[in-house]
């Protein structure tokens, strides 16, 4: 039956717009990168909908009851009807006698493809094709832009401030150049406290998320995210870019202070020195970009006690001991280093705790508890093993 239907379809009248359409679509693919097959499917869908809504009986027949063939040979269309011996719906059914004039072998319950006379439908088809091509170009361009920017999530981008909402403080930024520009929003909550910008300013931002919107991708960006610091150092520090130095963790209070833990992945490399740069040039460039935000660069260590000691920089530390059964440690510092270790309003200790993941209890040497009496060798060894396991 399928072969007989196909034969009848081949005899259906055609509108000779196929060659012209395909020439345009091939040119579109070269210029815009929009696949011909994608646009052909869009055109067929649009022509189907146009026919369904332009019928003389004003019946909106189901899409599955309309078949559109579009090729370089031309355009043809069919309506699929069910063969019955008693008509109840002229739009979807055909009497057995009429159906057998199209295909003598059909029976009641079969379907038959009835050629649609689209000679007078040609003008509508041409208009629909033009509209679909224009709309398809826009949608495809937006899709390409979305894919392009979605791949840039968690990356650093530079944009131009378009405007600042006076009510919310949200900042709207234009990113990209030429036909690939898109809008990004830097919400007030993602802006560095105290930082001021005006329309026309160039600004570097960290991409949080990319959303697919009707008019193109909407990019949500941040200036407060810790990874903004990471990306800036990747730009300034070749050793990070080529993998000789690894950024392990960052704790940040945007606009005030950040702590960054780094480690060398190969011998002979000074991870802190690499990030600081000659005469402090590299870290200075990042600090300037962040509006004067202080940045402490410390060495990451697998030993939690050493890591905590380093994280409390610039304070000197006498000792660090883990608290059994907890992810916490007790730190002893010289009396004159207590305020430096804690920091203004507790900031240094707070950032160190966030950087290492350990709760930190800081005590001055004058208030440190006296050391416990030495244990018997065998008991001491057992206790050390238990403490090591808990850490």
């Amino acid at each position: 039956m399928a072969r007989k239907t196909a034969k009848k379809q081949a005899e259906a009248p055609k509108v000779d717009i196929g060659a012209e359409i395909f020439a345009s679509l091939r040119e579109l693919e070269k210029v815009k990168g929009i696949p011909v097959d994608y646009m052909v499917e869009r055109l067929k869908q649009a022509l189907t909908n146009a026919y369904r809504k332009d019928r003389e009986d004003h019946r909106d027949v189901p899409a599955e009851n309309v078949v559109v063939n579009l090729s370089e040979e031309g355009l043809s269309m069919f309506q699929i009807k069910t063969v019955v011996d008693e008509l109840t719906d002229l739009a979807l059914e055909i009497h057995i006698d009429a159906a057998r004039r199209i295909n003598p072998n059909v029976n009641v319950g079969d379907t038959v493809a009835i050629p649609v006379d689209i000679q007078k439908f040609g003008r509508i088809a041409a208009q629909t094709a033009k509209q679909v091509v224009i709309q398809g170009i826009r949608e495809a361009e937006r899709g390409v832009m979305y894919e392009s920017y979605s791949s840039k999530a968690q990356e650093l981008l530079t944009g131009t401030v378009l405007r600042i909402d006076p009510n919310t403080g949200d900042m709207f930024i234009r990113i990209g150049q030429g036909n690939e520009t898109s809008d990004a929003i830097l919400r007030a909550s993602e802006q560095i406290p105290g930082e001021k910008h005006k329309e026309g300013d160039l600004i570097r931002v960290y991409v949080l998320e990319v959303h697919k919107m009707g008019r193109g991708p909407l990019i949500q960006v941040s200036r407060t995210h810790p990874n903004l610091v990471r990306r800036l150092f990747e730009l300034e520090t070749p050793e990070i870019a080529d993998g000789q130095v690894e950024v392990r963790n960052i704790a940040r209070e945007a606009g005030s202070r950040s702590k960054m833990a780094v480690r060398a992945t190969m011998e002979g490399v000074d991870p802190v020195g690499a990030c600081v740069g000659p005469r402090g040039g590299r870290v200075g460039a990042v600090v300037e970009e962040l509006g004067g935000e202080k940045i402490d660069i410390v060495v990451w260590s697998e030993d939690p006690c050493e890591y905590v000691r380093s994280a409390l920089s610039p304070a000197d530390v006498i000792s660090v001991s883990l608290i059994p059964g907890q992810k916490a440690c007790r730190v002893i510092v010289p009396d004159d280093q207590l305020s430096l270790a804690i920091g203004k309003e507790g900031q240094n200790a707070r950032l160190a705790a966030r950087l290492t993941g350990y709760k930190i209890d800081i005590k001055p040497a004058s208030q440190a508890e006296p050391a416990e009496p030495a244990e018997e060798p065998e008991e001491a060894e057992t206790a050390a093993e238990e403490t090591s396991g808990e850490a």
Side-chain angles (χ1 to χ4, degrees), residues 59-75:
R59 284 290 304 278
D60 187 3
V61 300
E64 57 267 23
N65 285 67
V66 181
V67 175
V68 177
N69 290 332
L70 177 62
S71 67
E72 296 194 57
E73 297 178 357
L75 168 69

Side-chain angles (χ1 to χ4, degrees), residues 169-191:
D170 293 346
M171 192 181 300
F172 296 88
I173 300 169
R174 177 60 50 83
I175 292 176
Q177 297 180 348
N179 294 328
E180 295 186 357
T181 58
S182 187
D183 292 338
I185 181 169
L186 178 63
R187 301 199 180 278
S189 60
E190 296 294 337
Q191 297 174 27

Side-chain angles (χ1 to χ4, degrees), residues 52-91:
R52 290 167 58 204
K53 296 177 181 179
D54 195 57
R55 289 170 50 82
E56 294 180 358
D57 59 5
H58 304 291
R59 284 290 304 278
D60 187 3
V61 300
E64 57 267 23
N65 285 67
V66 181
V67 175
V68 177
N69 290 332
L70 177 62
S71 67
E72 296 194 57
E73 297 178 357
L75 168 69
S76 60
M77 187 176 296
F78 305 85
Q79 184 181 347
I80 307 300
K81 290 189 176 183
T82 302
V83 179
V84 296
D85 55 10
E86 185 176 348
L87 285 171
T88 58
D89 188 341
L90 290 173

Side-chain angles (χ1 to χ4, degrees), residues 120-179:
K120 56 185 178 182
F121 185 62
R123 178 180 59 83
I124 298 174
Q127 291 176 347
T128 301
K130 181 179 179 180
Q131 292 172 357
V132 170
V133 169
I134 293 173
Q135 184 180 2
I137 291 172
R138 291 173 181 167
E139 290 185 2
E141 286 179 338
R142 288 195 291 264
V144 169
M145 286 177 62
Y146 171 75
E147 293 299 328
S148 172
Y149 281 107
S150 63
S151 67
K152 291 176 178 154
Q154 302 181 9
E155 294 298 330
L156 191 68
L157 294 179
T158 300
T160 304
V161 177
L162 293 180
R163 66 184 180 89
I164 301 172
D165 190 316
N167 297 318
T168 63
D170 293 346
M171 192 181 300
F172 296 88
I173 300 169
R174 177 60 50 83
I175 292 176
Q177 297 180 348
N179 294 328

Side-chain angles (χ1 to χ4, degrees), residues 15 58 61 68 78-79 85 90 92 165 173 180 188 204 227 240 250 273 293 302 325-326 334 348 361 369:
V15 174
H58 304 291
V61 300
V68 177
F78 305 85
Q79 184 181 347
D85 55 10
L90 290 173
L92 301 176
D165 190 316
I173 300 169
E180 295 186 357
R204 278 177 170 170
N227 278 345
I240 295 178
I250 298 173
E293 181 177 318
E302 292 182 354
Q326 303 178 44
N348 192 59
D361 179 23
E369 297 177 1

Side-chain angles (χ1 to χ4, degrees), residues 10 48 58 62 71 88 111 170 195 204 233 274 295 332 335 339:
T48 297
H58 304 291
S71 67
T88 58
T111 57
D170 293 346
E195 192 173 53
R204 278 177 170 170
F233 270 103
I295 301 176
I332 307 301
D335 287 30
S339 60

Side-chain angles (χ1 to χ4, degrees), residues 77-377:
M77 187 176 296
F78 305 85
Q79 184 181 347
I80 307 300
K81 290 189 176 183
T82 302
V83 179
V84 296
D85 55 10
E86 185 176 348
L87 285 171
T88 58
D89 188 341
L90 290 173
L92 301 176
E93 298 174 345
I94 183 172
H95 193 274
I96 181 67
D97 295 336
R100 284 179 173 167
R101 287 195 290 272
I102 299 173
N103 183 352
N105 298 321
V106 298
N107 297 306
V108 172
D110 292 342
T111 57
V112 63
I114 303 171
V116 174
D117 184 4
I118 55 174
Q119 294 300 323
K120 56 185 178 182
F121 185 62
R123 178 180 59 83
I124 298 174
Q127 291 176 347
T128 301
K130 181 179 179 180
Q131 292 172 357
V132 170
V133 169
I134 293 173
Q135 184 180 2
I137 291 172
R138 291 173 181 167
E139 290 185 2
E141 286 179 338
R142 288 195 291 264
V144 169
M145 286 177 62
Y146 171 75
E147 293 299 328
S148 172
Y149 281 107
S150 63
S151 67
K152 291 176 178 154
Q154 302 181 9
E155 294 298 330
L156 191 68
L157 294 179
T158 300
T160 304
V161 177
L162 293 180
R163 66 184 180 89
I164 301 172
D165 190 316
N167 297 318
T168 63
D170 293 346
M171 192 181 300
F172 296 88
I173 300 169
R174 177 60 50 83
I175 292 176
Q177 297 180 348
N179 294 328
E180 295 186 357
T181 58
S182 187
D183 292 338
I185 181 169
L186 178 63
R187 301 199 180 278
S189 60
E190 296 294 337
Q191 297 174 27
I192 296 176
E195 192 173 53
K196 302 295 182 183
H197 290 282
K198 60 182 185 298
E199 294 180 7
D201 284 354
L202 288 177
I203 185 173
R204 278 177 170 170
V205 292
Y206 176 76
V207 180
L208 293 175
E209 295 179 307
V210 181
H211 299 280
K212 200 168 189 178
M213 307 294 287
R215 295 186 177 182
L218 177 63
I219 307 167
Q220 290 191 350
V221 297
S222 174
R223 290 273 294 169
T224 63
H225 199 283
N227 278 345
L228 176 64
V229 177
R230 182 191 301 269
R231 296 293 180 243
L232 289 171
F233 270 103
E234 287 175 353
L235 286 178
E236 297 292 338
T237 310
E239 289 85 349
I240 295 178
D242 62 21
Q244 294 182 50
V245 174
E246 179 185 11
V247 178
R248 293 289 300 187
N249 199 14
I250 298 173
R252 186 182 184 204
E253 293 186 357
S256 179
R257 192 172 188 176
S258 291
K259 284 184 180 288
M260 183 173 74
V262 295
R263 77 176 185 97
T265 60
M266 56 188 301
E267 293 183 3
V269 176
D270 175 9
V272 174
C275 295
V276 171
R279 299 182 181 179
R282 294 171 181 174
V283 69
V286 176
V287 168
E288 183 179 358
E289 174 63 35
L290 298 178
E293 181 177 318
K294 295 178 181 178
I295 301 176
D296 298 334
I297 305 171
V298 304
V299 177
W300 178 87
S301 174
E302 292 182 354
D303 181 345
C305 293
E306 284 300 318
Y307 191 15
V308 170
R309 180 191 296 271
S310 180
L312 285 170
S313 173
D316 294 329
V317 174
I318 296 174
S319 66
V320 180
S321 57
L322 299 179
I323 300 175
Q326 303 178 44
K327 193 168 185 181
C329 62
R330 185 170 292 110
V331 176
I332 307 301
V333 299
D335 287 30
D336 62 352
Q337 295 283 300
L338 180 62
S339 60
L340 186 60
I342 294 174
K344 185 179 179 180
E345 298 178 351
Q347 185 185 64
N348 192 59
R350 185 168 59 249
L351 286 173
R354 284 164 51 188
L355 186 73
T356 61
Y358 279 79
K359 292 181 180 179
I360 302 175
D361 179 23
I362 303 175
K363 298 284 187 183
S366 61
Q367 296 180 18
E369 297 177 1
E372 296 180 1
E375 302 176 36
E376 292 297 325

